[in-house]
């Protein structure tokens, strides 16, 4: 039988004959003529020890190619291991080198590499312990997200990557065009997008929310899970140009129900990852961030505190702390403020709501005070904001007024306004940045290490 190392280490019993495929992590030879190969196939953090005798079929002819990084096919008998830290080992009866790796030039030698260096070899970094574990956690978190919504009868909607509307109104969008912009710049000052492929200016999406509202107000609760893009020139540990967003949208929901769903969602995903990726999570807790398990269990075990934005500002103003960014009502909270509230003041996750309307997008429902909107942000220790959401503005006249207030042309959003003209309903939703969630789960400091191939200013390699 052909097996994966995870099953061999955890499930299969000694005495079976099986075939494994994988890559050599290390090899050492004994004076007794035995070779000990540590093989890994990416299915789990741990390796499987392969015992190879000098008489093993294929070994004599290929042993010089069995070096770190080489890929092998190994057939043998599974036996109990006398060594500590491993339940079984494979005694090889046949070994085949499928692909050699030059030991002089192979970039992943057995030593600690910096994350900066590993970003330069993103095509090989999944073979390292850290990035193999991150890949498995991403996989488990993705499965948990789909399980959460599917078990609650949400419809999975694929929203477009190319769009003609700016959901956030910030203007930081990547333009998509087939026009020869260099030639146009030589002969005219303005670009006529009527001549472009789509007949108008188009960009990569910053959010699937507006399109998700179409389905939420037609087929019921739905969610999107896909890539989004922002042309924000931020070279920080918290920003990516391309990242994945999870965005549920629910009809007949208000802000209170939205907050309850967001809390339930976060706890479900974390619990699933802790259960299914225990070995990887122990690795992150030991090697990356020694408080990651404590932080995650704190989130799962506590009810989220819920306070208005105004109350949060008052708490921050009274704090015995000198802020890098001064606290003022009407301004967005910064990471230092969010972490103080979650890590020092409340010592648990919190949900802030009722933000000033001047710092939030046009689609959020206005409160009766005329100053705030029914927005919410979920803040967690060590990360800060991980979810942002709101009850949507379902009143046509108010929505049109808010668009003009935000300097948007209502005609550009005619279809979005139609959702309010024809059978409008209260509805709400939120967005979760998937890579921000992976940061929380793994303890990684730089968000560029939480996505397989990071896209950042001046970097689009691989």
């Amino acid at each position: 039988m052909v097996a994966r190392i995870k099953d061999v280490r955890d499930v299969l019993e000694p005495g079976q004959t099986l075939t494994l495929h994988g890559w050599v992590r290390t090899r050492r030879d004994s004076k007794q003529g035995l070779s000990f190969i540590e093989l890994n196939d990416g299915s789990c953090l741990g390796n499987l020890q392969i015992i190879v005798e000098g008489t093993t079929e294929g070994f004599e002819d290929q042993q010089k190619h069995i070096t770190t990084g080489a890929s092998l096919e190994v057939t043998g008998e599974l036996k109990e291991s006398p060594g500590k830290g491993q339940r079984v080992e494979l005694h090889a009866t046949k070994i085949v080198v499928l692909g050699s790796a030059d030991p002089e030039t192979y970039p992943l030698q057995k030593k600690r590499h910096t994350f900066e260096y590993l970003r330069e070899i993103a095509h090989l970094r999944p073979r390292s312990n850290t990035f193999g574990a991150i890949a498995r956690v991403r996989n488990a978190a993705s499965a948990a997200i789909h399980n959460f919504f599917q078990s609650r009868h949400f419809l999975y909607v694929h929203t477009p990557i190319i769009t003609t509307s700016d959901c956030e109104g910030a203007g930081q969008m990547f333009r998509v065009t087939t026009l020869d912009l260099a030639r146009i710049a030589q002969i005219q000052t303005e670009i006529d997008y009527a001549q472009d492929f789509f007949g108008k200016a188009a960009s990569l999406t910053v959010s699937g929310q507006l399109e998700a509202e179409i389905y939420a107000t037609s087929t019921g609760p739905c969610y999107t899970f896909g890539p989004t893009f922002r042309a924000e020139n931020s070279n920080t540990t918290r920003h990516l140009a391309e990242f994945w967003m999870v965005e549920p949208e629910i009809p007949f929901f208000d802000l209170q129900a939205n907050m309850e769903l967001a809390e339930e969602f976060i706890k479900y995903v974390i619990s699933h990852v802790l259960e299914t990726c225990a070995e990887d999570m122990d690795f992150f807790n030991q090697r990356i961030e020694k408080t990651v398990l404590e932080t995650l269990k704190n989130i799962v075990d506590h009810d989220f505190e819920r306070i208005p934005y105004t109350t949060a500002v008052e708490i921050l103003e009274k704090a015995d702390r000198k802020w890098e960014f001064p606290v003022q009502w009407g301004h967005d909270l910064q990471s230092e403020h969010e972490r103080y509230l979650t890590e020092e003041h409340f010592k648990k996750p919190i949900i802030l709501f009722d933000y000033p309307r001047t710092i939030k997008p046009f689609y959020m429902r206005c409160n009766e005070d005329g100053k705030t909107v029914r927005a919410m942000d979920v803040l967690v220790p060590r990360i800060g904001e991980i979810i942002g959401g709101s009850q949507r503005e379902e009143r046509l006249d108010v929505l049109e007024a808010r668009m003009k207030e935000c300097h948007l042309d209502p005609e550009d959003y005619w279809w979005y306004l139609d959702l309010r003209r024809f059978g409008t309903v209260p509805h709400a939703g939120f967005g979760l940045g998937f890579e921000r969630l992976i940061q929380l789960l793994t303890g990684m400091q730089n968000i560029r290490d939480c996505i397989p191939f990071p896209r950042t200013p001046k970097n689009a390699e691989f």
Side-chain angles (χ1 to χ4, degrees):
M1 61 178 293
V2 177
R4 300 297 304 277
I5 288 178
K6 178 176 175 56
D7 294 329
V8 172
R9 292 174 68 237
D10 298 342
V11 179
L12 298 183
E13 293 300 323
Q16 300 187 59
T17 297
L18 49 86
T19 298
L20 294 175
H21 300 98
W23 292 265
V24 177
R25 284 289 178 85
T26 62
R27 170 189 165 186
R28 63 181 178 86
D29 299 324
S30 73
K31 295 179 181 179
Q32 289 74 34
L34 297 176
S35 286
F36 301 88
I37 299 171
E38 294 290 325
L39 198 71
N40 189 280
D41 65 358
S43 62
C44 60
L45 184 67
N47 307 317
L48 185 69
Q49 181 167 267
I50 312 296
I51 311 297
V52 186
E53 298 180 359
T55 57
T56 298
E57 182 182 346
F59 181 67
E60 183 177 358
D61 295 335
Q62 303 186 72
Q63 62 174 310
K64 65 180 180 180
H65 299 300
I66 303 175
T67 59
T68 299
S71 60
L72 307 180
E73 178 181 271
V74 183
T75 301
E77 182 183 354
L78 198 62
K79 295 186 178 182
E80 291 185 10
S81 176
K84 293 183 179 180
Q86 55 189 14
R87 186 178 66 91
V88 291
E89 59 190 22
L90 189 71
H91 288 242
T93 55
K94 181 180 179 181
I95 190 165
V96 179
V97 176
L98 300 176
S100 61
D102 182 0
E104 298 297 324
T105 59
Y106 182 61
L108 280 176
Q109 296 299 324
K110 190 182 179 183
K111 63 178 182 179
R112 293 184 71 91
H113 297 289
T114 66
F115 293 139
E116 289 81 4
Y117 170 71
L118 291 173
R119 277 177 225 131
E120 296 175 4
I121 54 169
H123 59 306
L124 294 174
R125 71 177 182 172
R127 297 189 194 178
S128 69
N129 285 337
T130 300
F131 288 93
I134 291 172
R136 289 185 292 271
V137 167
R138 274 187 73 103
N139 176 70
S142 298
I145 287 166
H146 285 294
N147 290 343
F148 178 85
F149 290 117
Q150 290 294 323
S151 65
R152 288 157 179 78
H153 307 294
F154 277 61
L155 187 72
Y156 179 31
V157 177
H158 300 105
T159 51
I161 290 177
I162 297 175
T163 182
T164 57
S165 59
D166 183 358
C167 178
E168 300 301 320
Q172 297 170 325
M173 302 180 73
F174 287 100
R175 187 57 51 83
V176 175
T177 181
T178 57
L179 296 175
D180 187 343
L181 299 183
R183 178 171 174 76
I184 291 174
Q186 295 175 351
I187 59 178
Q188 63 190 65
T189 57
E190 293 188 4
I191 299 174
D192 181 10
Y193 283 105
Q195 305 301 314
D196 206 350
F197 186 89
F198 293 107
K200 60 175 66 175
S203 303
L204 298 179
T205 184
V206 299
S207 169
Q209 176 204 314
L210 301 188
E211 290 84 359
E213 287 188 51
I214 294 175
Y215 278 81
T217 55
S218 303
T219 61
C222 66
Y223 70 104
T224 75
F225 187 4
T228 55
F229 309 84
R230 290 190 186 177
E232 185 176 1
N233 193 21
S234 296
N235 246 322
T236 76
T237 60
R238 292 168 55 88
H239 291 89
L240 289 166
E242 177 185 326
F243 52 98
W244 285 63
M245 287 283 289
V246 181
E247 297 176 292
E249 201 70 32
I250 313 96
F252 315 107
F253 244 42
D254 60 11
L255 183 63
Q256 180 65 29
N258 205 32
M259 291 191 286
E260 291 173 2
L261 182 71
E263 178 175 346
E264 186 181 359
F265 171 65
I266 285 290
K267 289 181 175 180
Y268 179 91
V269 175
I270 292 175
S271 297
H272 179 84
V273 171
L274 290 174
E275 180 182 348
T276 59
C277 298
E279 184 183 33
D280 292 320
M281 295 306 299
D282 284 340
F283 169 82
F284 290 123
N285 200 62
Q286 293 176 24
R287 301 292 185 89
I288 304 298
E289 169 56 58
K290 295 187 182 302
T291 64
V292 67
L293 289 179
E294 178 185 351
T295 298
L296 295 175
K297 290 174 182 176
N298 178 44
I299 294 171
V300 171
D301 293 342
H302 287 90
D303 292 334
F304 293 10
E305 191 76 27
R306 300 179 190 182
I307 60 171
Y309 162 91
T310 300
T311 302
V313 169
E314 293 171 353
I315 292 172
L316 294 167
E317 288 175 335
K318 295 175 183 177
D320 185 17
R321 180 71 56 89
K322 184 175 181 180
W323 304 110
E324 180 182 354
F325 298 95
V327 179
Q328 184 177 348
W329 198 97
H331 290 200
D332 236 336
L333 300 186
Q334 301 298 315
S335 179
E336 60 175 336
H337 309 141
E338 296 170 345
R339 294 192 62 173
Y340 171 81
L341 291 169
T342 58
E343 296 173 15
E344 298 184 46
H345 188 82
F346 290 104
K347 294 183 170 59
K348 64 177 181 177
I350 66 173
I351 304 179
L352 302 185
F353 60 92
D354 287 352
Y355 277 78
R357 65 189 287 165
T358 55
I359 62 173
K360 290 298 182 181
F362 69 94
Y363 53 77
M364 297 186 174
R365 197 182 200 281
C366 295
N367 284 318
E368 303 308 318
D369 60 13
K371 298 179 180 180
T372 61
V373 291
R374 294 184 189 174
M376 67 157 194
D377 282 343
V378 179
L379 313 182
V380 295
R382 206 176 56 76
I383 294 294
E385 180 194 342
I386 196 165
I387 281 179
S390 72
Q391 184 174 336
R392 316 309 190 190
E393 182 57 75
E394 86 279 10
R395 298 166 294 184
L396 178 61
D397 57 338
V398 178
L399 183 59
E400 288 179 318
R402 276 287 284 154
M403 285 181 171
K404 294 174 182 177
E405 182 183 316
C406 295
H407 308 292
L408 299 174
D409 186 353
E411 291 187 6
D412 292 338
Y413 297 84
W414 62 271
W415 54 271
Y416 190 69
L417 294 172
D418 269 1
L419 302 179
R420 278 71 181 169
R421 290 190 180 96
F422 309 127
T424 187
V425 296
H427 58 289
F430 59 79
L432 172 135
F434 189 52
E435 283 67 37
R436 190 71 62 84
L437 173 64
I438 300 303
Q439 268 195 297
L440 173 67
L441 291 167
T442 62
M444 297 298 292
Q445 295 298 311
N446 197 318
I447 201 166
R448 301 177 193 194
D449 299 323
C450 297
I451 192 169
F453 305 102
R455 298 291 182 251
T456 54
K458 311 301 181 189
N459 178 50
E461 199 64 67
F462 308 103

